[in-house]
């Protein structure tokens, strides 16, 4: 079963997360397929830019708790998006949770419709948004992240745009992306690669400095007793024991 759909139009390759059975959760298989698809795009001279989108009403539900990718595989995927020598544009018309927000933050440009909602739900299952912080912390308002990291609250597309998680939010996401994709198609491949390198230098510094520590933190938290309780409660659709 293919988990990543691929289409191309005028130099823009669209990669579609297509794992409806688990709301496009970041399973080991999906992370592996997406990594391979991005690598193909990177070396294809006919691809000017990549659009990352989804089927169904969820962009990504975060890590697949039944088949999670190794933390280093998720870090590698996020770094790959940031370092790819071609712009990656997120197109979101549904919900984004936890690890899915790391994908969104790794993209260079992102647009969402009013149907999209966002939440860092890690604290509700006993873990922390560790590795996804690598692209998030350098690009997103720190006071807003403090609130949403700590509370796990849901927030809207306009709020996501206000805090820097999104580039734009609009009633028609494809209409919002039309001038963006037109601009990318008019740019030279060399100019796009070098300009992206300027924009991502600080983010890549964060990866190189902090990835090992945050990967270790993620592994430690996911193996903890509170995480086991939190994930069990989530799968059993009940509150974990620490809720007061």
């Amino acid at each position: 079963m293919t988990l990543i759909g691929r289409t191309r139009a005028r130099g823009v390759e669209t990669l579609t997360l297509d794992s409806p059975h688990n709301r496009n959760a970041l399973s080991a298989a999906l992370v592996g397929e997406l990594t391979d698809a991005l690598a193909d795009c990177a070396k294809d001279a006919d691809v000017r830019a990549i659009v990352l989108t989804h089927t169904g009403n969820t962009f990504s539900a975060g890590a697949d708790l039944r088949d999670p990718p190794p933390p280093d595989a998720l870090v590698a995927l996020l770094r790959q998006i940031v370092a790819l020598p071609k712009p990656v544009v997120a197109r979101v018309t549904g919900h984004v949770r936890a690890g899915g927000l790391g994908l969104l933050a790794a993209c260079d440009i992102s647009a969402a419709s009013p149907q999209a909602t966002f939440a860092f739900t890690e604290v509700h299952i006993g873990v922390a948004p560790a590795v996804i912080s690598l692209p998030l912390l350098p690009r997103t308002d720190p006071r807003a992240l403090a609130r949403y990291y700590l509370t796990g609250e849901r927030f809207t597309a306009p709020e996501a745009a206000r805090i820097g998680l999104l580039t734009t939010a609009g009633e028609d996401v494809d209409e919002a992306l039309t001038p963006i994709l037109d601009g990318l198609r008019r740019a030279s491949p060399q100019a796009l690669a070098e300009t992206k390198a300027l924009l991502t230098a600080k983010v890549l510094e964060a990866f190189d400095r902090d990835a090992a520590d945050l990967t270790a933190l993620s592994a430690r938290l996911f193996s903890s007793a509170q995480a086991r309780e939190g994930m069990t409660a989530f799968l059993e659709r009940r509150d974990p024991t620490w809720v007061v």
Side-chain angles (χ1 to χ4, degrees):
M1 180 176 64
T2 300
L3 303 177
I4 304 295
R6 299 180 67 170
T7 59
R8 188 178 301 181
R10 294 178 53 216
V12 175
E13 183 93 355
T14 297
L15 303 180
T16 303
L17 307 181
D18 187 16
S19 183
H21 72 283
N22 63 0
R23 299 187 301 143
N24 296 321
L26 300 175
S27 63
L30 186 144
V31 166
E33 281 194 36
L34 182 55
T35 297
D36 291 344
L38 288 165
D40 288 345
C41 291
K43 61 189 179 187
D44 189 336
D46 292 329
V47 175
R48 186 64 49 83
I50 298 103
V51 170
L52 183 61
T53 189
H54 60 100
T55 58
N57 66 359
T58 303
F59 177 79
S60 177
D64 187 339
L65 299 183
R66 300 183 189 275
D67 179 28
D72 57 347
L74 181 56
V75 169
L77 173 61
L78 298 178
R79 194 184 194 286
Q80 179 187 28
I81 294 171
V82 175
L84 205 79
K86 303 178 183 190
V88 183
V89 179
R91 176 191 176 275
V92 180
T93 60
H95 310 301
V96 193
R97 298 290 182 268
L101 290 158
L103 279 186
L104 198 60
C107 293
D108 303 286
I109 297 169
S110 53
S113 70
Q115 292 75 34
T117 66
F118 308 84
F120 296 98
T121 52
E122 289 89 347
V123 291
H124 292 166
I125 62 166
V127 298
V131 297
I132 66 170
S133 289
L134 291 164
L136 277 158
L137 290 177
R139 288 177 157 171
T140 313
D141 177 77
R143 298 299 288 174
L145 279 188
R147 172 179 176 174
Y148 295 122
Y149 267 25
L150 290 168
T151 67
E153 293 171 86
R154 282 183 292 177
F155 53 100
T156 63
E159 174 68 354
R162 185 191 71 81
I163 68 175
L165 180 63
L166 292 176
T167 307
T168 185
E171 193 66 36
D172 186 328
V173 69
D174 293 312
E175 183 177 294
L177 284 174
T178 295
I180 292 170
L181 296 179
D182 182 59
L184 296 177
R185 288 181 170 113
R186 290 176 179 274
S188 87
Q190 172 183 276
L192 287 176
E194 295 296 340
T195 302
K196 176 166 176 174
L198 289 173
L199 292 166
T200 58
K202 294 295 185 184
V203 184
L204 292 174
E205 283 180 12
F207 273 85
D208 295 339
R209 182 185 65 241
D210 300 329
D213 288 344
L214 291 176
T215 300
L217 172 62
S218 180
R220 176 171 64 81
L221 290 175
F222 269 93
S223 65
S224 68
Q226 288 192 22
R228 287 193 293 274
E229 164 61 13
M231 289 185 282
T232 300
F234 175 81
L235 294 172
E236 293 178 352
R237 298 180 182 275
R238 62 173 175 82
D239 283 341
T241 55
W242 61 72
V243 172
V244 294

